[in-house]
Amino acid sequence: MTERTRIRVPDRGRDLLPAPPPWTRKALCHQVGTPADWEPDPDDAAAVQDALWACEHCTVRSRCLQEALTAPPSHQVGVRGGLTAQERTRLQRRQRRARASD
């Protein structure tokens, strides 16, 4: 997902993020489960497979992956767009190398 600017609420001393993009309402992960389901412990193979299975059946998977690939490294956690954080990092490296060789 693209990085969003944090908004400081002065009188409450906390940061708020703007609402997510409208397309995320169609995402399967926003309709079922909890956020923890999409950021499973990488060592919990069953939980990771469950999240990947859900992504396979999501109607906005490609948009989600597109957004996830533009996210900064600090946001590379969990399953997004049908790939784990490690898989997305590898894909980003391959894409950078391909651009550099053009």
Side-chain angles (χ1 to χ4, degrees):
M1 295 177 206
T2 59
E3 187 169 3
R4 295 177 279 178
T5 305
R6 291 190 178 274
I7 300 169
R8 174 63 86 186
V9 179
D11 58 331
R12 295 208 176 128
R14 60 186 171 129
D15 291 337
L16 298 178
L17 288 175
W23 66 265
T24 61
R25 286 190 293 266
K26 297 177 184 174
L28 189 55
C29 62
H30 283 251
Q31 298 171 26
V32 299
T34 67
D37 294 329
W38 315 111
E39 295 181 8
D41 179 337
D43 295 328
D44 186 347
V48 171
Q49 288 305 311
D50 288 347
L52 291 170
W53 181 91
C55 281
E56 280 183 42
H57 297 87
C58 183
T59 60
V60 294
R61 176 181 172 195
S62 60
R63 179 67 190 266
C64 183
L65 180 57
Q66 178 184 16
E67 294 275 334
L69 291 173
T70 63
S74 62
H75 288 85
Q76 294 298 333
V77 297
V79 173
R80 304 281 187 274
L83 298 177
T84 64
Q86 185 178 26
E87 292 168 332
R88 289 192 311 278
T89 299
R90 282 194 300 258
L91 179 58
Q92 286 172 316
R93 285 186 197 132
R94 285 193 304 265
Q95 289 175 337
R96 279 193 299 272
R97 282 188 220 120
R99 283 191 299 271
S101 67
D102 286 343

